[in-house]
Amino acid sequence: MAFVRNLLGAKKILGAATSKRATLAAPKGFLAVYVGESQKKRYVVPISYLSQPSFQALLSKSEEEFGFDHPMGGLTIPCPEDIFITVTSRF
């Protein structure tokens, strides 16, 4: 009986950890990007943006600056937030 209680307790703990990660994950069909020069803000954008030439230009800029080592742990786009909004509002 104690084994079952411990198992149920472990499931609750793992469930809590999983739910925290789920809040950080982008929904299916979207990806999270961090935008800004000094202060980074998280945006969740549709993956359809990846096929847009202007978004690809932002990604190239990110690759030049960071390579594959992004300081935020996610995709970081080093441009001013207002430019990012202007570029993505055209899609």
Side-chain angles (χ1 to χ4, degrees):
M1 189 67 174
F3 175 74
V4 173
R5 265 194 311 241
N6 288 339
L7 185 60
L8 291 174
K11 280 187 175 183
K12 285 181 185 177
I13 292 169
L14 289 174
T18 304
S19 65
K20 285 181 185 177
R21 272 186 269 149
T23 59
L24 295 177
K28 186 175 182 176
F30 292 82
L31 73 132
V33 295
Y34 295 90
V35 179
E37 293 176 307
S38 58
Q39 191 77 351
K40 307 288 188 238
K41 185 172 179 182
R42 185 176 191 259
Y43 286 89
V44 178
V45 299
I47 59 170
S48 62
Y49 282 15
L50 295 172
S51 64
Q52 301 295 326
S54 52
F55 194 76
Q56 290 173 1
L58 292 175
L59 292 176
S60 293
K61 184 177 179 184
S62 176
E63 180 185 17
E64 289 172 10
E65 185 161 329
F66 299 111
F68 292 107
D69 184 28
H70 292 265
M72 298 295 292
L75 183 59
T76 306
I77 299 178
C79 76
E81 194 176 340
D82 58 333
I83 291 175
F84 177 79
I85 292 169
T86 301
V87 167
T88 56
S89 67
R90 296 180 191 159
F91 306 147

